[in-house]
Amino acid sequence: QMQLRESGPGLVKPSETLPLTCTVSGGSINNHYWSWIRQPPGKGLEWIGYIFYNGNTKYNPSLKSRVSISVDTSRQQFSLNLTSVTAADTAVYYCARHFNIGHPYFDSWGQGTLTTVSS
Amino acid sequence: DIVVTQSPGTLSVSPGERATLSCRASQNVSSNSAWYQQRPGQAPRLLIYGASARATGIPARFSGSGSGTEFTLTISSLQSEDFAVYYCQQYKNWPYTFGQGTKLEI
């Protein structure tokens, strides 16, 4: 069964870069799209962006200038970097798998990792 | 961006009763909508995709309907584990967007 696990620092200072990694197990990272989605405390879900296993990406325009997503297929990992963070970036960050190519809904999710932006 | 609006914000229902949750998209998304369930402290779980197809392992008491701009999630007979927050998502256009959620409470 596909499993995803997010990892990251937990606490990031304002204006710095938030780095997160998602490790995929129980299946191949190849031939799938992978997304990052976040959820501020007590609020709804926001799609951040996706990456295909070949490195093609698409980002939410609201975050595009600050977001980059990369993939390392040899390690079965994909990563998120969010630059110039503020308190508004405090959220639970999820990684998720797209159901299939051309079907961008999310059938497997990580457990989420809370990242707090604070000095 | 396509705005997704869910109603009501909170729905109070008794176990065994039927619950109907609504979702509206600001533009026509055809059948490109999905529903997720999120229990406290957990990640969302895919329930419905393509407006009406149940995801693997989802009980038959969950059903989805609608197309265009109006969608409905119906839970036919509520079980204790169904009390959670439900999110609607459109995936017709990127950025993919979610509704603000409906909290289903006892």
Side-chain angles (χ1 to χ4, degrees):
Chain A
Q1 181 178 348
M2 177 73 62
Q3 292 190 333
L4 292 77
R5 187 181 77 251
E6 305 89 350
S7 56
L11 179 65
V12 180
K13 290 182 168 54
S15 80
E16 295 189 345
T17 295
L18 185 165
L20 294 173
T21 295
C22 182
T23 302
V24 178
S25 59
S28 176
I29 199 169
N30 292 331
N31 299 312
H32 281 283
Y33 283 87
W34 305 90
S35 274
W36 287 98
I37 297 160
R38 70 179 183 178
Q39 184 173 37
K43 296 189 178 181
L45 300 162
E46 180 182 30
W47 175 74
I48 297 170
Y50 71 58
I51 190 163
F52 194 42
Y53 78 103
N54 66 1
N56 289 343
T57 57
K58 187 86 80 175
Y59 303 134
N60 191 323
S62 68
L63 297 168
K64 185 176 180 180
S65 63
R66 300 195 292 130
V67 170
S68 66
I69 300 176
S70 59
V71 65
D72 184 340
T73 55
S74 65
R75 293 189 173 191
Q76 292 267 108
Q77 292 179 334
F78 62 103
S79 298
L80 168 72
N81 278 317
L82 182 64
T83 62
S84 305
V85 296
T86 69
D89 295 309
T90 294
V92 175
Y93 285 77
Y94 295 101
C95 57
R97 186 186 76 169
H98 294 210
F99 178 78
N100 210 336
I101 296 172
H103 296 82
Y105 42 89
F106 312 108
D107 67 337
S108 293
W109 295 66
Q111 83 282 3
T113 184
L114 174 62
T115 301
T116 301
V117 178
S118 176
S119 56
Chain B
D1 296 4
I2 296 177
V3 177
V4 178
T5 304
Q6 294 184 238
S7 61
T10 302
L11 183 61
S12 298
V13 187
S14 298
E17 292 187 340
R18 180 188 194 94
T20 302
L21 289 65
S22 296
C23 172
R24 174 176 292 177
S26 61
Q27 302 174 29
N28 186 343
V29 299
S30 186
S31 296
N32 296 296
S33 69
W35 289 92
Y36 301 84
Q37 176 194 68
Q38 188 177 34
R39 296 175 176 140
Q42 295 187 15
R45 176 175 70 142
L46 178 67
L47 299 175
I48 301 288
Y49 62 91
S52 61
R54 271 191 304 277
T56 301
I58 301 304
R61 64 180 182 273
F62 291 90
S63 63
S65 63
S67 66
T69 61
E70 301 282 345
F71 302 92
T72 300
L73 175 69
T74 301
I75 311 170
S76 60
S77 178
L78 282 161
Q79 309 296 304
S80 57
E81 63 267 28
D82 300 336
F83 292 94
V85 179
Y86 292 82
Y87 291 97
C88 179
Q89 177 213 349
Q90 69 79 23
Y91 52 88
K92 176 72 164 60
N93 295 334
W94 66 270
Y96 312 125
T97 48
F98 296 85
Q100 80 281 15
T102 291
K103 182 179 180 181
L104 189 56
E105 64 176 24
I106 300 175

